[in-house]
Amino acid sequence: MGAWSHTSFANDDASDWVAALNRRGTAAITQAFVAVPENDEEHLPARAACAALAAAEVVAALAGAPAAQLPRKVTEWLVGKGAPTPELLEAARRAVKRVLRASELRDVWGASPKAETWRADVEGLLARL
């Protein structure tokens, strides 16, 4: 995972996911959440965790609580889209909680000097959901 900041879209995996969002639309959001195992014992790779966080950011934006800065391609995709269903909001919450609890991404950031900043950002996303 190439990352240039702690935020949800500031890494290569999230950028790849945004490209999928623009190609596949809401199917990319659903797939990002389906890829997150509910069982904490199952490995959650950083790539899948990054996609789930990016997808959750899109859901938060659809719900009227966007991040302070979204990539231009995400902002463009959001135009004219309706509010998320309660089920999609819940799927986003579950995925974000799982990333925070047990994921390779959490482990990577946990070993970083930016660990607390990353955690606060992800908890902020959860609060916006």
Side-chain angles (χ1 to χ4, degrees):
M1 170 189 78
W4 47 92
S5 172
H6 67 280
T7 61
S8 297
F9 290 104
N11 60 73
D12 294 333
D13 295 327
S15 293
D16 291 345
W17 183 83
V18 169
L21 174 69
N22 280 285
R23 283 191 316 274
R24 298 178 33 232
T26 55
I29 297 171
T30 302
Q31 181 56 41
F33 299 148
V34 168
V36 176
E38 290 187 33
N39 181 348
D40 287 0
E41 301 303 314
E42 290 184 55
H43 180 67
L44 177 53
R47 180 174 183 81
C50 288
L53 292 180
E57 287 286 6
V58 170
V59 172
L62 288 169
Q69 293 184 348
L70 293 172
R72 181 181 51 80
K73 290 191 180 280
V74 170
T75 303
E76 290 170 357
W77 185 86
L78 290 167
V79 173
K81 304 294 187 292
T85 64
E87 294 81 14
L88 190 59
L89 277 165
E90 184 54 33
R93 287 184 202 106
R94 272 195 315 269
V96 172
K97 288 176 184 176
R98 175 57 160 82
V99 170
L100 279 169
R101 271 193 329 269
S103 68
E104 182 182 24
L105 187 61
R106 184 197 73 166
D107 296 342
V108 167
W109 280 107
S112 160
K114 295 278 188 181
E116 289 305 314
T117 305
W118 176 81
R119 178 170 278 288
D121 193 64
V122 177
E123 288 173 349
L125 166 58
L126 189 56
R128 288 185 283 114
L129 289 166

